[in-house]
């Protein structure tokens, strides 16, 4: 059924989330909060070198230390062959993942896991790590993306040959892949252009910086069964990867979804679980591993840093006739940067006749990148949206008008193939135009920037179960970890369909042995895909309830209707019966067919793409180069907001992360290829005093492919901020900042250079 | 080395525990006493997830030794509510949806309570600077600040609970 045009009672309201009290009282159990009888503490030894051959590992002294119960190295894991798979948020090679979890012959970055111990206390485990003797042959390393592409660069993988080139590569290279997209004739387009802008932009790798470090508790039983408590964006993902890396049957692994303290894409792959299981197997006791913050920075994935060249040509009236991009994305130590989306998202907002995009996926001696909110899109958009701003200036045109003129609409064919359908970009731009922030003149001494952003959003496989309990209350179970309020939205959609008070519905997250397969929480898919499964399960329950009422009244089921949580005889011919509510039907369940339960699994298609536009006012301290965000408004097409507060929260949080990416966050490496700022003091994420209130404006263009019109919302908001801020700085100072972060020293230097 | 015996009042209860001299108060709370509401986000005093109130002062428990608790009165997130009744800050966090993942939430609530104990009528700027030691990566702080300001109004008797 489709409820887009229905009069809704629950959807669109703001109830307290079902797991709220647990989380404000300290009761919620995250992975690091779990314990087990006889539990040991696991710790990981990491490479101090950016690039080194591992000559030998002697663990005998560590193993002999009293209190140490197990030591493992790569020799304790199967050496698995290369195999591409799709388990996480993007393609992943199982062999690369295995080698990232535990280095075999080479350490490929500072922080790469080399060995692990389990001991009775954390202190003993730490001492044991120091007793592990690793002999290295230190190799030349390369950190920067363009340096890694140079012909004489140190090579990370002898068996890595550039894919996507013709003729086939003959020598190993750090360029894992070349991606190209072409539409029309870009050369002809530029010949036609009357105004051309060009720029070269760089972005730094930034960490997802979830406040909860990775953690898990694993217990291996003598019969080969394993139980894992993990904080992750997908417990089915944890099961699949752990099984593969250890050569186990999935049925022997049960993963319990602990609460997750932020992920933003960074918990869509694993680091610890196979290690904890291997240690537990060896020690015969449960093992908990939790990373320190330093390990999170040194050993887990940021997103790519990149170099992006962009060139755009337009007619004098603002019509863009040609657009070109060359993107070089760092993948970290193993292939797999988000170069694909990088090549697609930059120009996806526009209707362009001639486009040419080339992207490079490049390995270097840094931690393997992990997904981070709209992976790849913020980087490419920083470049494109800065260039569009330059174009508007060169044309003497309002930046909003220029975007309106070239905006993608329904039916626009993208340069990467698909045709945009059911998109709300025009509505977003209309909302910007109508917004008081846009209409208010810029304050003296400040500057204003505008930038737009796009993300595909995904659907995919999800399972939900709706149980009507004996008293008429309802339990909804899904396989989607609740990363930011999804229990609330699941409960609300089910309550809406059943026509009952949302307080009567409780949503939970079920473990891998208790519910059907569910793809991880990523790609902004949960409210869309898992919400679709939950909605359909609730509809099945309604059908079942109608049948039971029909049987009770001995009338045909077609003569029963379900309204406001009750079965009614439909029309006067059906007979005069008192309506039966959920509680009454639940009470009689045993006599009308048994438990009232429905489980629905979907492979949801038609996730509506999302578009956003951010307006930002800044002031720039000319003495220090410090940029203050004075006012920030984020407009986004959200399809339909199930719980508007959590939708706004996604937008505000994404914008704040973008502000950090724009102004402060970066990895600082020393001459040895070691990270110098692996802590929150020196890797500075925004704090409360760094940001203003962030106004989230929800535009609702319903997605017809979802029963309530939902489209994903979590990723779009991190796409526009960097360019919005850069454009505001340009407007305030006349200076274009092409390199992130736009930190005080850089802004100050740019202002000085400009005189 | 022999463990130290420590006596402190934790969440209103006289509590005795044994700890290693080098053990932090955060580790004592989480691993010795079993109060896991205080979180470890950094163990270096930079994230505030471990915030507790010690003798009326807001402290990062990861920067305090367990032995320093001797004779002190400590409030952790588990002691902020009054039995079944949530503290206004907790209530307003729920109403304003001031949490997404909830990992920073215990520390933010403890820090906000400490703020309002000291300054019942903070400006938005004062609240932002007071809470600048508590990192939240999910919310962008907007709803957090609104919740704290609203809780302050409730505690002053100017707004409905
Ligand atoms: S854990 Fe204490 S401040 Fe981060
Ligand atoms: S709610 Fe996730 S870190 Fe604050």
């Amino acid at each position: 059924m489709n409820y887009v045009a229905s009069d809704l009672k629950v959807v669109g309201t703001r109830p307290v989330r079902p797991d709220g009290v647990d989380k404000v009282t300290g009761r919620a159990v995250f992975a690091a909060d779990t314990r087990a009888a006889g539990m040991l503490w696991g710790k990981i030894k990491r490479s101090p070198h950016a690039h080194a051959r591992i000559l030998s590992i002697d663990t005998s002294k560590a193993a002999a230390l009293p209190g140490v119960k197990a030591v493992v190295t790569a020799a304790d894991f199967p050496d698995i062959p290369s195999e591409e798979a799709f388990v996480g948020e993007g393609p992943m090679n199982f062999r690369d993942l295995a080698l990232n979890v535990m280095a075999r012959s080479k350490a490929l970055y500072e922080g790469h896991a080399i060995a692990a111990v389990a001991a009775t206390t954390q202190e003993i485990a730490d001492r044991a790590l120091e007793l592990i003797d690793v002999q290295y042959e230190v190799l030349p390393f390369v950190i920067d993306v363009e340096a890694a592409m140079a012909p004489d660069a140190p090579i990370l993988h002898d068996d890595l040959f550039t894919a996507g080139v013709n003729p086939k590569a003959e020598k190993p290279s750090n360029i894992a892949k070349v991606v190209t997209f072409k539409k029309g004739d870009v050369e002809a387009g530029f010949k036609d252009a009357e105004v051309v802008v060009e720029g070269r932009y760089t972005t730094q790798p930034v960490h997802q910086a979830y406040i909860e470090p990775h953690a898990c508790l694993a217990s291996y039983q003598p019969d080969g069964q394993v139980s894992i408590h993990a904080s992750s964006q997908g417990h089915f993902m944890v099961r699949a990867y752990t099984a593969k890396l250890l050569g186990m049957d999935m049925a022997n692994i049960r993963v319990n979804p602990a609460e997750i303290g932020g992920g933003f894409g960074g918990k869509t792959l694993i680091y610890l679980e196979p290690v904890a299981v291997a240690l537990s197997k060896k020690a015969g006791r449960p093992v908990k591993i939790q990373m320190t913050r330093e390990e999170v920075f040194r050993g887990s994935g940021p997103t790519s840093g990149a170099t992006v060249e962009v060139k755009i040509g337009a007619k004098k009236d603002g019509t863009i006739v040609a657009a070109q991009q060359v993107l070089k994305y760092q993948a970290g130590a193993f292939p797999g940067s988000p170069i694909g989306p990088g090549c697609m998202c930059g120009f996806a907002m526009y209707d362009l006749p001639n486009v040419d995009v080339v992207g490079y996926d490049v390995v270097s001696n840094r931690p393997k990148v992990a997904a981070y909110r709209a992976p790849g899109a913020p980087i490419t958009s920083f470049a494109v949206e800065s260039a569009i701003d330059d174009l508007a200036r060169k044309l003497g045109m309002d930046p909003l008008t220029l975007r309106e003129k070239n905006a993608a609409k329904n039916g626009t064919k993208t340069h990467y193939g698909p045709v945009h359908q059911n998109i709300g970009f025009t509505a977003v731009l209309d909302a910007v135009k109508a917004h008081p922030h846009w209409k208010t003149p810029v304050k003296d001494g400040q500057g204003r920037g505008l930038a737009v952003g796009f993300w595909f959003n995904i659907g995919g496989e999800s399972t939900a179960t709706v149980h009507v309990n004996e008293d008429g209350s309802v339990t909804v179970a899904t396989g989607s970890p609740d990363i930011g309020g999804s229990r609330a939205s699941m409960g609300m959609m089910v309550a809406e369909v059943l026509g009952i008070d949302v307080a009567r519905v409780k949503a939970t997250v079920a473990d891998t042995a208790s519910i059907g397969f569910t793809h991880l929480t990523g790609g902004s898919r949960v409210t869309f895909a898992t919400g679709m499964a939950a909605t359909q399960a609730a509809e099945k329950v309604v059908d079942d309830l109608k049948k039971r009422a029909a049987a009770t009244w001995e009338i045909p089921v077609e003569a029963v209707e379900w309204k406001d949580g009750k079965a009614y005889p439909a029309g006067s011919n059906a007979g005069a019966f008192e309506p039966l509510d959920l509680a009454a039907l639940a009470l009689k369940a045993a006599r009308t067919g048994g438990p009232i339960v429905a489980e629905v699994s979907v492979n949801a298609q038609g996730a509506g793409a999302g578009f956003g536009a951010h307006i930002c006012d800044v002031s720039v301290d000319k003495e220090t180069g410090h940029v203050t965000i004075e006012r920030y408004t984020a407009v986004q097409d959200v399809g339909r907001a199930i719980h508007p507060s959590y939708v706004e929260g996604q937008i505000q949080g994404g914008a704040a992360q973008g502000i950090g990416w724009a102004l402060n966050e970066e990895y600082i490496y020393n001459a040895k290829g070691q990270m110098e700022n692996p802590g929150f003091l020196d890797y500075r994420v925004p704090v409360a005093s760094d940001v203003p209130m962030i106004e989230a404006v929800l535009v609702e263009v319903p997605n017809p492919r979802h029963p309530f019109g939902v489209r994903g919302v979590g990723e779009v908001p991190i796409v526009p901020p960097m360019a919005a801020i850069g454009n505001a700085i340009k407007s305030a100072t006349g200076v274009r900042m092409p390199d992130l972060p736009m930190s005080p020293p850089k802004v100050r230097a740019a202002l000085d250079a400009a005189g | 080395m022999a463990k130290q015996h420590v006596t402190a009042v934790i969440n209103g209860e006289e509590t005795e525990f044994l700890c290693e001299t080098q053990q932090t108060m955060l580790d004592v709370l989480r691993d010795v006493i079993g109060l896991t509401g205080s979180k470890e986000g950094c163990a270096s005093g930079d994230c505030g997830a471990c915030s507790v109130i010690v003798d009326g002062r807001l402290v990062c428990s990861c920067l305090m030794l367990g032995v320093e608790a001797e004779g002190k009165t400590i409030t952790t997130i588990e002691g902020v509510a009054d039995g079944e009744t949530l503290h206004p800050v907790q209530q307003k966090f729920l109403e304003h949806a001031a949490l997404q993942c909830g990992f920073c939430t215990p520390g933010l609530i403890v820090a906000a309570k400490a703020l309002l104990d000291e300054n019942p009528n903070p400006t938005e700027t004062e609240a932002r600077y007071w809470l600048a030691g508590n990192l939240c990566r999910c919310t962008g702080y907007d709803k957090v600040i609104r919740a704290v300001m609203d809780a302050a109004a409730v505690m002053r008797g100017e707004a409905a609970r």
Side-chain angles (χ1 to χ4, degrees):
Chain A
M1 212 178 130
N2 195 293
Y3 307 86
V4 167
S6 315
D7 183 14
L8 302 178
K9 297 201 169 73
V10 184
V11 164
T13 64
R14 302 176 188 240
V16 166
R17 62 198 270 177
D19 53 326
V21 170
D22 267 4
K23 286 183 174 150
V24 299
T25 55
R27 287 188 182 90
V29 177
F30 296 82
D33 303 333
T34 55
R35 306 204 115 230
M39 186 183 91
L40 302 171
W41 295 91
K43 297 245 180 193
I44 293 181
K45 182 161 184 87
R46 297 178 182 275
S47 168
H49 305 295
H51 194 192
R53 203 172 305 287
I54 301 169
L55 302 175
S56 65
I57 307 177
D58 181 353
T59 60
S60 56
K61 282 202 192 109
L65 185 71
V68 172
K69 302 297 176 189
V71 186
V72 296
T73 66
D76 294 278
F77 297 86
D79 190 0
I80 63 175
S82 174
E83 181 186 345
E84 285 291 331
F86 196 96
V87 175
E89 209 174 345
M92 171 75 79
N93 187 299
F94 283 134
R95 180 173 169 78
D96 290 349
L97 183 68
L99 289 175
N100 195 43
V101 165
M102 197 56 77
R104 204 161 272 279
S105 57
K106 279 216 279 185
L108 293 164
Y109 53 95
E110 185 224 7
H112 199 163
I114 306 289
V117 302
T120 48
T121 71
Q122 301 202 57
E123 204 211 338
I124 295 173
D126 278 329
R127 281 209 313 241
L129 291 186
E130 283 168 28
L131 293 175
I132 296 175
D133 183 18
V134 187
Q135 293 297 319
Y136 296 100
E137 176 195 345
V138 178
L139 301 170
F141 64 89
V142 59
I143 297 287
D144 262 14
V145 63
E146 289 190 311
M149 294 172 76
D152 56 347
I155 294 294
L156 272 73
H157 304 280
D158 294 336
D159 56 351
L160 182 62
F161 296 86
T162 309
V165 288
N166 201 358
K168 270 182 87 176
E170 281 171 11
K171 276 193 352 198
S173 163
N174 293 328
I175 303 172
K177 187 165 75 172
V178 180
V179 184
T180 52
F181 291 105
K182 282 187 201 304
K183 180 184 173 191
D185 181 343
V186 85
E187 270 176 42
F190 278 116
K191 275 204 197 104
D192 222 20
E194 292 164 326
V195 180
V196 174
V197 292
E198 261 180 283
R200 182 178 184 280
Y201 297 84
T202 62
T203 70
Q204 294 300 313
V206 290
H207 200 276
Q208 298 80 354
Y210 27 81
I211 310 301
E212 176 203 35
H214 298 263
C216 72
L217 169 66
S219 180
Y220 185 97
Q221 290 165 202
D223 62 359
Q225 295 201 57
V226 168
S227 118
I228 299 173
H229 288 79
S231 290
S232 82
Q233 287 177 247
H235 37 303
F236 286 91
M237 172 277 297
V238 171
R239 184 180 70 167
Y241 280 150
T242 306
K244 192 75 189 181
L245 266 53
L246 294 171
M248 293 181 63
D249 265 0
M250 285 194 202
N252 277 337
I253 302 178
R254 179 171 186 163
V255 185
N256 298 282
E259 297 303 328
I260 161 172
F264 317 111
K267 292 177 184 167
T268 58
L269 74 173
I270 57 168
Y271 299 96
L272 303 176
E273 288 79 1
V275 181
V277 173
L279 287 168
S280 173
K281 183 178 181 182
K282 240 181 170 171
R285 287 164 67 170
V287 173
K288 177 151 93 179
I289 310 183
Q290 57 192 56
M291 284 195 197
T292 62
R293 177 56 52 185
E294 189 179 325
E295 285 183 283
V296 173
F297 276 115
R298 293 196 201 279
S300 75
T303 188
S304 307
T307 303
V308 184
E309 288 158 35
V310 58
K311 184 175 168 189
I312 299 175
K315 300 299 250 185
K316 281 201 181 107
D317 70 354
T319 309
I320 298 175
V321 289
Q324 200 170 23
Q325 244 187 331
V326 179
L327 307 100
K328 298 161 188 167
Y329 277 28
Q330 288 162 1
F334 298 94
S337 72
I339 189 65
C343 290
M344 298 180 212
C345 293
F347 293 134
M349 292 84 84
Y350 301 109
D351 184 358
L352 306 172
N354 305 302
V355 183
D356 189 354
V357 179
V358 183
Y360 299 88
D361 182 32
V362 184
V363 297
S364 68
N365 296 109
R366 293 171 172 262
K368 172 177 170 44
V369 301
Y372 182 23
R373 229 170 177 153
I379 299 166
T380 186
S381 294
F382 170 59
V384 170
E385 289 300 290
S386 300
I388 295 276
D389 194 67
D390 282 345
L391 181 62
R393 283 168 197 284
K394 220 165 169 176
L395 290 164
M397 205 168 178
D398 173 77
L400 178 60
T401 313
L402 176 61
R403 288 179 172 89
E404 286 174 326
K405 196 165 177 74
N406 294 286
K409 296 177 189 65
N410 289 331
T412 299
K413 186 166 166 50
T414 60
H415 64 283
Y416 52 92
V419 173
H420 282 307
Q421 275 169 346
N422 305 313
I423 62 170
F425 191 30
T426 309
V428 167
L429 295 176
D430 288 348
V432 170
K433 199 185 235 169
H435 195 277
H437 187 171
W438 190 250
K439 291 199 283 195
T440 309
V442 187
K443 285 201 184 135
D444 271 356
Q446 297 186 6
R448 176 168 298 161
L450 173 74
V452 299
F454 160 86
W455 184 246
F456 315 91
N457 298 322
I458 63 167
E461 296 159 279
S462 282
T463 305
T465 312
V466 173
H467 308 247
V468 177
N469 304 318
E470 300 92 296
D471 61 356
S473 65
V474 173
T475 306
V476 190
T478 76
S480 292
D482 182 350
I483 193 161
S486 59
R487 285 183 186 89
S489 62
M490 296 304 137
M492 291 171 72
M493 286 183 265
V494 167
E496 188 75 63
V497 174
L498 295 178
I500 59 174
D501 183 354
V502 69
R504 296 281 283 162
V505 183
K506 287 290 171 287
T508 69
V509 186
D511 68 68
T512 54
S514 308
I515 191 135
F517 177 80
T518 302
H519 188 56
L520 51 69
T521 297
S524 301
R525 62 176 294 280
V526 169
T527 316
F528 174 72
T530 309
M532 191 184 283
T535 303
Q536 290 179 10
E539 287 169 345
K540 267 176 105 170
V541 163
V542 168
D543 288 344
D544 185 10
L545 292 166
K546 281 179 9 191
K547 273 190 211 130
R548 291 172 195 245
T552 307
W553 293 327
E554 297 179 337
I555 62 174
V557 67
E558 298 75 43
V560 178
E561 71 175 355
W562 187 263
K563 222 175 64 204
D564 298 332
K566 296 188 184 93
Y568 290 88
S572 46
N573 294 343
F577 302 102
E578 280 300 302
L580 281 168
D581 67 10
L582 199 56
L585 288 161
L587 198 63
K588 284 197 269 188
R591 276 174 284 144
T592 55
I596 307 169
V597 181
E599 176 162 302
V600 170
S601 294
V602 298
N603 188 357
Q605 305 300 315
F611 288 82
H614 292 197
I615 317 164
C616 165
D617 292 358
V618 303
S619 58
V620 180
D621 184 328
K622 305 234 156 77
E623 294 289 309
T624 63
H626 182 266
V627 175
T628 303
I629 311 286
E630 303 284 356
R631 184 172 180 183
Y632 203 101
T633 303
V635 182
Q636 188 174 322
D637 171 21
V638 302
R640 179 63 160 266
I642 302 296
H643 191 308
S645 297
Y646 288 101
V647 172
E648 291 159 3
Q650 286 292 323
I651 294 173
Q652 292 160 339
Q657 286 182 325
I659 291 170
W661 196 338
L663 295 180
N664 289 314
E665 297 177 33
E666 65 182 316
Y667 281 47
I668 299 167
Y669 280 90
N670 66 17
K672 290 183 179 155
Q674 296 158 326
M675 187 185 181
E676 296 257 87
N677 58 332
F680 281 138
L681 187 61
D682 301 313
Y683 182 97
R684 206 170 167 292
V685 307
V687 303
S689 52
D690 290 336
V691 290
M693 291 296 183
I694 294 166
E695 187 181 346
V697 180
L698 309 185
V699 174
E700 295 189 311
V701 178
N703 172 13
R705 305 288 296 275
H706 183 275
F708 291 102
V710 164
R711 56 181 91 223
V713 294
E715 290 172 291
V716 172
I718 201 172
V719 182
M722 285 73 88
I725 293 166
N727 295 343
I729 294 174
K730 169 87 183 167
S731 142
T733 65
V735 171
R736 169 66 59 198
M737 298 293 303
D739 304 310
L740 296 184
M742 298 176 276
S743 54
K746 276 205 216 128
V747 172
R748 169 77 205 263
L751 292 176
D752 286 353
Chain B
M1 207 190 326
K3 289 188 177 177
Q4 302 290 308
H5 178 267
V6 180
T7 308
V9 177
I10 299 179
N11 298 332
E13 294 223 8
E14 183 157 300
T15 308
E16 292 178 68
F17 58 85
L18 294 176
C19 72
E20 313 273 351
T21 45
Q22 80 284 0
Q23 223 165 1
T24 67
M25 191 63 208
L26 178 61
D27 285 347
V28 167
L29 288 171
R30 292 180 53 80
D31 300 333
V32 179
I33 304 178
L35 291 174
T36 55
S38 305
K39 304 300 178 197
E40 179 180 315
C42 70
S44 57
D46 300 314
C47 78
C50 63
S51 299
V52 297
I53 299 173
V54 180
D55 285 350
R57 278 192 57 207
L58 181 63
V59 167
C60 291
S61 62
C62 71
L63 294 184
M64 172 182 170
L65 291 174
V67 292
E68 292 180 274
E70 178 63 41
K72 301 257 178 16
T73 298
I74 299 176
T75 305
T76 71
I77 183 64
E78 289 90 347
V80 171
D82 179 8
E84 291 259 280
T85 312
L86 295 180
H87 187 278
V89 173
Q90 292 172 311
Q91 187 59 38
K92 291 301 173 189
F93 262 61
L94 292 178
E95 287 169 15
H96 286 269
L99 57 146
Q100 283 172 35
C101 77
F103 193 79
C104 66
T105 309
L108 267 168
I109 287 175
V110 169
K113 175 185 160 19
L115 164 67
L116 301 183
D117 287 348
E118 190 169 301
N119 176 1
N121 197 5
T123 63
E124 182 193 323
T125 304
E126 284 169 341
R128 284 187 181 275
Y129 276 89
W130 181 278
L131 296 175
N134 290 81
L135 300 181
C136 172
R137 192 60 158 169
C138 296
T139 63
Y141 305 103
D142 183 298
K143 294 183 189 304
V144 170
I145 298 297
R146 286 178 202 279
V148 172
M149 300 303 283
D150 200 5
V154 167
M155 290 167 73
R156 293 193 304 270
E158 292 165 16
R161 276 199 80 107

